[in-house]
Structure formats: structure tokens, C-alpha cells
Amino acid sequence: MTEQHPPFTPQIRLYQQWLADRHGLQFDSYDALWRWSVSDLDAFWQSIWTYFDLRSPTPHTAVLERNVMPGARWFPGAQANYAHQVFRHVDAAHAAGLSAVISDNEKGQRRELSWPELRRQVASLALHLQAQGVQPGDRVAAYLPNIPETMVAFLAVVSIGAVWSVCAPDMGTNAVLDRFRQIEPVVLIACDGVTYGGKDFDRLGVVAELRAALPTVRHVVLHANLAQDPADVDRALETAQPCAAFSTAIARHDAPVRAFEPMWLPFDHPLWVVYSSGTTGLPKPIVHGHGGTVIVALALKILHNDVGCSYAPNSFGERFHWYSSTGWVMWNAQTSGLLNGTTSVIYDGNPGGSKERPDWTVLWRFAAREGVTFFGAGAAFFANCLKSGVDLSTCGDLSAVRALGTTGSPLSEDAQRWGTAQFAAIARTDIQKDIWWCNISGGTDFAGAFIGGNRDLPQTPGRMQCRLMGCAVESWDEQGRPVIDAVGELVCAQPIPSMPLYFIGDRNHERLLGSYFDMYPPGHGRKPGGGDLDKDSGAVWRHGDWLRIHPDGSCVIYGRSDATINRHGLRMGTSELYSAVEALPEVMDSMVVDLEYLGRESYMPLFVVLRPGLTLDDPMKAKISEAIRTALSPRFLPNEVFQVTEIPRTLSGKKQELPIKKLMLGQPLEKVINREAMANPACLDWYVALAVAHLGQAAG
């Protein structure tokens, strides 16, 4: 294994030195640097373009053609391709003896993918897809786990201008179809099954259901993920016929493969469709562009997350791991390590072992074996390690780890102190004596982060260090006024390049506007470039999180300000859960709230109204759980299920999810709900009593 060397100089410091040397820009504090980055947008984003030597065969005519949200147009005239940026590193990284991807799974099937082999497989699959008639702008759907083949498939799809979209194989047929039906894919790339928690799960039946329900799919590529024996592989392919074998599609090694180059595309050409669920309706199919995604990913991953290029002297041997499934945007973030020539280290499986043999050391032992330098996971992972009494001194040689990353939900002070103490106890380097936590918060919605880390700033357990450069994040009160040291709505008052281009099938951008821009419409508090309020400048992005910005610039996220479920870092609309539960003939009505909140263990109760005469006994609870497990994912199983007589509703019939959530978080009833606006106010007494009992237990 290549010897690991921690970076000698933080990446953000190198960037600031470059700003001073190249442009004479010097800042006496990070706050001053941040304020420049969100007021002089043209200068900041041009500096990122230049610093990372982004390339285009044609020049851009502006950085930000029009400062407006939504609808900002970045780098008009420029061309980009995500795969181009990845392939720039092939020769140099390979010459340094470094791998592109290192993977392992529950069965110990460790693999390394070299940079030249990554390029060859991508080219082979890209040519295969073109031979099937795939054109730029066509959508390609993938039903694949967190394995190297998924990265190869993604790069092949986007290299030819097609649009990528992936769902994790732990998602049930209905949840996948709710996503893929909206995008009308022409190709489906799928697997025969997955292993999770020590068990194999055949997915060939789901693949058949997807094919039958997606009439636009005209070609299927099947990867034999479970089947290893040649006879089993043949049987899987036979079952899935007609289909092409993934292994065959990536096998070419001829002159056209060697000559293959990714297409140059307009800067804002669609890259992928990701899904972020609101509280009503189908998941939102969000489209991001090639150029905007690349430039934001580089600024985030390198300058703020301090993940360097693996073959650069300052960060030689960097190995980047962020545990994720393909159903979470952190898979996209893990893959983006390749944009900077960084070795991506991935694990496919349950980070907590199996139900029969729970083991929260799985990922730590994996990181020790592979010499991981940056170790990231959802906040819930670290909380589980704390609760399970994990002792890192038993997990192997973790001396290469120099940074811990978290996101997905707020990280508690206790969990952060646990990790810091664990590394102090095993410290083999000075940097491990007070390990750096890169706690970030962002979203699938814009494929980035708003708040995160800065290696050169002090860190306080339970807080994120700063607002990120280029992200004009503020906390606003109900009147749309910025507040400091008080909890308010997280807003972004300036556009950033990776904000959505559009939602697929969104007539007149109604869902896009309703999702982010209806609370603070045009003329409401927006000051482009630090100038005066301008009604023509568009609306302000409201993200849906509670945020406190401390006077020192550090930040705390207090969970969702809407009723969206956020379980283990994955967002799901409550409507999707209702579709699963209320499909049961025994369930008349239902409501769920997710009490994600800083410092408290996530708690999600489900309330159900059953048909008259039925009781919520253990078999009924099991039936409800199975419905959720099958239609959505085991990740969205509630902590408790309660039988109630009524679900509180407004006069217009809407479920009162957010008021009940606030009630159970301890806010007074009279401040969270207007009885006169309710269709059934008498039912509130039961929920008030439950809230009192729940808060008493939490306090105890």
C-alpha cells in the first residue's frame, strides 16, 4: 500500500496564498474572505475556475450573466463535461502508482480499479450505449449499489451527454417507480441483487417489475452483483432477458475505446437527476448541470473539506471515504473525489454489521485496512458508535486518518466529543490529538453544502465552523430579517452555480418555485452584489432548515423547518410513507412526524387510524412495518406506532404534521396551531398529552 502522508498545508490556506500572490487579495479573517465571496460573485467564482484550471474549448462571455434566482445563468459560452474533469488525472495519478477506486463489501470482495482501467471501462460502456442509440439529453436509470461499476456507469452515461439517475437496490419497487417514471429513461442499468446485513437479496424480480412499468426503456444492462459462479451469472442473465451483460459492455479494449473522449457540452447541460422529497406529492426530480456541479464540488471538496489530490506532493496518498448508499447524495459527493484526482475508497454493506451480530466497528476496520485519510459518514453512524461503546484501539491501524466528516442530520456534542476522545487515545500523529471534524450541512437540492468546515478555524463540539465561500447563507426571522445568535430559517440570498436547472415535468417551474422560493419572493430582502434591494433580482432560496449563526460565525442546524422526514441522512416525503401505509385496507388515515433535533436521538412516531373494531396489536404493527419496508426502505421504519381516533387536519383537509412536530419538540400549543383553522380541534388533547409524556421521557 502506498505510504500515507497527511497534507502539510490546509487546502484553504493554499487558496488564500494564491489569491494574495495572483490578485493581491488579502483578508484579515475568514469572515472577510466569506463576505467578499458572496458579494463579488464574479470575482470569486472566476477565481475558482482559474485556481482549479477548469478547461473549455470555447471561452465564457461572463461569469454570472444575470444575478437572479431562480434562473441564474453561469459561464455562458463555456463547455464542460464531468468525465473530462475526471480523465484529466488518469496519467499523472497512475504514474504515481495510485488507484482511482478501492472497494470492499461484507463478503470481503476487495477490489482496486486503476485510473487507466477506469477510463477504459467508461469508454467501452459509453460506446455500447451509443450503439444502442442513446443520445445527449436521454435519461439513463440505474438500480445499483455502492460499487465501482456504479461509478463506471455514471461516468459512461454523462460522458456522452446522457442524463444519469440512480436509486439504491434497498428501495422497493413503488419508491423506485415514483422516481424513474417521471424521468422516462431509455436505458436501465441494474443488478441481480445485493448483500446487506449478512443476507443476500435477489432483485431480479424488481428489475422485471421496473422494466414492465417503464415503457420508455428500450435496453437493459444487467450487472451480476450477487452471482459469482459462471453458471449463476448465466442464470441471472437468462432470467433478465432481453438484456446485455454489464461485464461484456465494459470489456472492449480496441482502437475506438482508446480514442474515446467525452463530449464537450454546454456548461449547463443536464448532468443527473436526483430526488428530494417534499411533504406532498411525488419526489422532486431535480436536474443539475455539468459545469455548475463540477465547480461547486471542487470548491467544497478541496477548499472546505480539505480533501487533496492524491498525487500532489502536499496531499500525497490521500484516500477519501464517505460511507453512503446510492440513494443518498453523499454517493455523488464520494464520486466527486475523482474530479480532483483523489482515490475514492468505498464500502458496500451495513455499517452496523448484521441484526444477529451488530458490529459498529465494520467501517473503522475497513478504514484501517485501506489507510483512509478522510473518514466521513452520517451523523447517526457516529451516534451509534458512541451508544455501542466502540473502542477504536481495537480496530487496527487508523494512523492515516486526519479528518472526520459528518452530515445528514445534526451531530450531537456528545458524539463529537466521543470521536475526539477516541482519536486522542490512539493518536499516532499530532493532528490526531485533536482530530478535525468537517461537519457539513447542505442538500440533494443543490448537490452541495451551505455550511461546513475550515481547517484553519477553531472548532466547537456540536457546531459547524463556518458558512461556505460563495454561499450567502443567513438565518432569517419570520419577517425576513437576518438574525445572529437566534434560530431562524436558513436562506441563501445569492445564487450558486449548482442550484437546480429545473425539475423534470415541472409546468412553469411551479414546483421549483414552491419548493424553495415562495416564502421569500422577489423584492424580499435580496441584495445582489451587496447593492440595494431590487425587485427584479428574483427570490431568495429558503432551504427548510432551522439555523443559528453564532457571533463567531460558527453554525448549528436544528433539523428541518418543514415536515419532511430525514432518517439516517436520507430525506423522504411524508406522502411517500402515507402511500405505503394507507394502501393497507386496515388503515384509514395516518400521520408521521420526524423529531430530528440537535443533541437528541432522532425519534419518528407514526399515528394510524384503523378501521372500526380493529386494534393495533403486534401482527398489525408488523404488517405496517412490512408495508414501509417493502415500498420504501427499512430506513424509514418508525420508532413507535400509535393508534389514534383522528389525525389533526386543517379546514382544507391538510394533515397538521408541522404543528404536531413543534408541539412534541416542546413549543406551546397556542404558538404552533390555530384551533379555529382546524377541522377537528378536539383531537388535539390526545397529542398534547403525548407531547408532555414524550418530553418528560426525553428530559429523564
Side-chain angles (χ1 to χ4, degrees):
M1 187 173 67
T2 304
E3 185 180 1
Q4 306 295 319
H5 301 278
F8 299 107
T9 307
Q11 300 290 336
I12 196 166
R13 196 185 304 168
L14 294 175
Y15 168 68
Q16 288 181 261
Q17 290 172 355
W18 178 85
L19 282 178
D21 295 343
R22 179 77 174 261
H23 298 290
L25 289 168
Q26 292 182 304
F27 303 94
D28 58 8
S29 66
Y30 175 74
D31 184 67
L33 171 63
W34 174 78
R35 292 188 184 281
W36 165 75
S37 76
V38 298
S39 56
D40 194 344
L41 298 184
D42 281 23
F44 171 69
W45 288 109
Q46 180 61 55
S47 80
I48 298 298
W49 178 288
T50 307
Y51 185 70
F52 290 112
D53 188 28
L54 294 182
R55 298 170 186 175
S56 167
T58 53
H60 50 272
T61 57
V63 174
L64 178 55
E65 189 175 60
R66 182 167 174 247
N67 187 332
V68 63
M69 287 191 292
R73 189 171 177 221
W74 294 90
F75 296 97
Q79 297 178 68
N81 192 301
Y82 192 110
H84 254 299
Q85 178 65 25
V86 171
F87 287 174
R88 285 177 57 175
H89 304 288
V90 169
D91 293 338
H94 187 60
L98 302 167
S99 299
V101 184
I102 298 172
S103 68
D104 206 346
N105 61 21
E106 292 186 6
K107 295 179 177 179
Q109 295 166 328
R110 182 188 184 276
R111 292 181 289 159
E112 289 197 40
L113 189 64
S114 71
W115 284 90
E117 182 64 6
L118 173 68
R119 179 171 59 186
R120 187 199 64 74
Q121 291 186 18
V122 168
S124 179
L125 182 56
L127 292 172
H128 173 86
L129 293 172
Q130 285 183 323
Q132 303 303 316
V134 176
Q135 299 292 317
D138 283 347
R139 266 88 77 170
V140 174
Y143 189 60
L144 294 169
N146 185 27
I147 53 177
E149 287 80 3
T150 310
M151 290 183 171
V152 169
F154 160 65
L155 291 171
V157 167
V158 304
S159 71
I160 60 174
V163 185
W164 168 263
S165 192
V166 63
C167 282
D170 68 351
M171 297 177 68
T173 307
N174 292 341
V176 176
L177 287 175
D178 281 348
R179 289 155 175 76
F180 286 168
R181 273 197 182 113
Q182 296 186 74
I183 70 170
E184 299 181 321
V186 299
V187 171
L188 174 65
I189 305 176
C191 65
D192 61 337
V194 290
T195 301
Y196 193 84
K199 297 179 181 177
D200 289 345
F201 296 90
D202 187 286
R203 285 293 182 257
L204 288 172
V206 177
V207 173
E209 291 176 321
L210 296 179
R211 166 184 256 148
L214 296 170
T216 54
V217 169
R218 58 177 186 259
H219 183 63
V220 174
V221 181
L222 187 77
H223 168 58
N225 186 54
L226 273 188
Q228 298 298 314
D229 181 87
D232 291 336
V233 172
D234 289 344
R235 276 193 291 272
L237 291 168
E238 183 63 32
T239 302
Q241 286 298 322
C243 70
F246 189 93
S247 58
T248 302
I250 63 168
R252 286 181 61 174
H253 202 333
D254 52 16
V257 164
R258 289 189 289 275
F260 177 80
E261 290 290 339
M263 283 182 184
W264 286 110
L265 303 161
F267 187 85
D268 59 357
H269 185 85
L271 171 69
W272 57 40
V273 184
V274 291
Y275 306 91
S276 185
S277 296
T279 55
T280 59
L282 292 170
K284 299 172 293 192
I286 303 169
V287 181
H288 299 127
H290 275 255
T293 301
V294 167
I295 197 169
V296 168
L298 290 171
L300 166 63
K301 190 71 72 274
I302 300 161
L303 303 185
H304 281 287
N305 293 7
D306 202 38
V307 176
C309 171
S310 294
Y311 59 85
N314 187 61
S315 48
F316 191 86
E318 187 86 277
R319 289 188 169 187
F320 171 52
H321 166 73
W322 201 302
Y323 176 77
S324 179
S325 81
T326 52
W328 188 20
V329 75
M330 293 314 297
W331 176 84
N332 306 67
Q334 172 77 77
T335 301
S336 73
L338 299 173
L339 291 170
N340 191 44
T342 307
T343 301
S344 285
V345 184
I346 62 175
Y347 184 82
D348 181 38
N350 189 336
S354 65
K355 188 175 182 180
E356 294 75 22
R357 297 182 62 188
D359 179 6
W360 288 96
T361 69
V362 167
L363 290 183
W364 295 112
R365 289 184 284 109
F366 167 62
R369 289 195 303 273
E370 301 303 340
V372 165
T373 55
F374 187 106
F375 181 96
F381 169 80
F382 294 98
N384 281 314
C385 289
L386 163 63
K387 288 185 291 183
S388 302
V390 167
D391 179 357
L392 295 189
S393 69
T394 68
C395 297
D397 181 3
L398 288 164
S399 60
V401 177
R402 57 176 186 81
L404 302 175
T406 70
T407 190
S409 57
L411 180 72
S412 72
E413 233 180 282
D414 288 345
Q416 184 162 340
R417 291 187 189 281
W418 168 85
T420 300
Q422 286 284 318
F423 271 92
I426 64 169
R428 298 266 294 275
T429 61
D430 287 341
I431 208 164
Q432 290 186 327
K433 292 175 183 175
D434 185 21
I435 194 81
W436 178 59
W437 287 83
C438 182
N439 303 331
I440 68 173
S441 181
T444 301
D445 312 77
F446 63 102
F450 280 142
I451 303 165
N454 179 332
R455 175 71 81 162
D456 275 344
L457 290 179
Q459 56 181 353
T460 302
R463 296 188 194 176
M464 289 166 281
Q465 290 173 293
C466 61
R467 292 171 279 182
L468 300 196
M469 290 183 292
C471 300
V473 169
E474 295 179 333
S475 175
W476 281 12
D477 64 16
E478 292 180 358
Q479 286 73 45
R481 297 172 302 201
V483 294
I484 296 293
D485 215 16
V487 177
E489 287 278 355
L490 191 165
V491 303
C492 189
Q494 297 279 24
I496 60 173
S498 63
M499 283 178 174
L501 301 176
Y502 53 86
F503 293 175
I504 287 179
D506 185 16
R507 185 170 54 88
N508 299 322
H509 299 297
E510 290 174 1
R511 291 194 76 192
L512 179 68
L513 292 166
S515 296
Y516 313 112
F517 300 108
D518 60 350
M519 181 172 281
Y520 303 111
H524 195 122
R526 183 147 144 61
K527 300 170 184 174
D532 294 331
L533 189 64
D534 181 359
K535 287 190 176 182
D536 294 328
S537 65
V540 170
W541 177 289
R542 176 244 180 190
H543 194 57
D545 281 338
W546 295 121
L547 168 68
R548 180 195 296 267
I549 303 170
H550 289 270
D552 65 357
S554 64
C555 299
V556 178
I557 294 285
Y558 290 90
R560 299 295 301 169
S561 62
D562 60 21
T564 305
I565 302 169
N566 186 355
R567 295 288 273 181
H568 313 295
L570 301 179
R571 284 180 61 191
M572 180 74 75
T574 53
S575 60
E576 295 188 78
L577 191 141
Y578 300 148
S579 294
V581 172
E582 293 172 19
L584 297 173
E586 298 91 342
V587 179
M588 301 289 290
D589 202 358
S590 64
M591 184 178 73
V592 68
V593 294
D594 180 12
L595 305 187
E596 174 205 11
Y597 202 77
L598 180 72
R600 301 181 189 174
E601 185 176 353
S602 176
Y603 174 74
M604 189 175 83
L606 171 66
F607 308 102
V608 294
V609 178
L610 300 181
R611 289 191 177 278
L614 295 181
T615 302
L616 185 66
D617 53 16
D618 288 343
M620 190 66 236
K621 288 181 181 178
K623 192 169 186 178
I624 290 170
S625 294
E626 186 58 29
I628 296 169
R629 190 191 311 273
T630 302
L632 303 177
S633 163
R635 299 167 190 263
F636 295 99
L637 292 176
N639 293 89
E640 287 189 82
V641 183
F642 295 95
Q643 183 174 0
V644 296
T645 56
E646 289 183 278
I647 298 299
R649 291 183 177 272
T650 64
L651 290 171
S652 60
K654 291 183 179 178
K655 299 179 184 185
Q656 296 275 56
E657 298 156 317
L658 191 53
I660 298 302
K661 175 178 177 175
K662 291 180 178 179
L663 183 69
M664 295 193 69
L665 287 171
Q667 297 188 37
L669 178 66
E670 61 274 10
K671 288 193 174 183
V672 301
I673 204 160
N674 178 5
R675 287 178 177 268
E676 294 181 0
M678 286 189 64
N680 51 354
C683 76
L684 284 176
D685 292 343
W686 185 91
Y687 292 93
V688 171
L690 177 69
V692 170
H694 172 73
L695 290 165
Q697 290 174 351

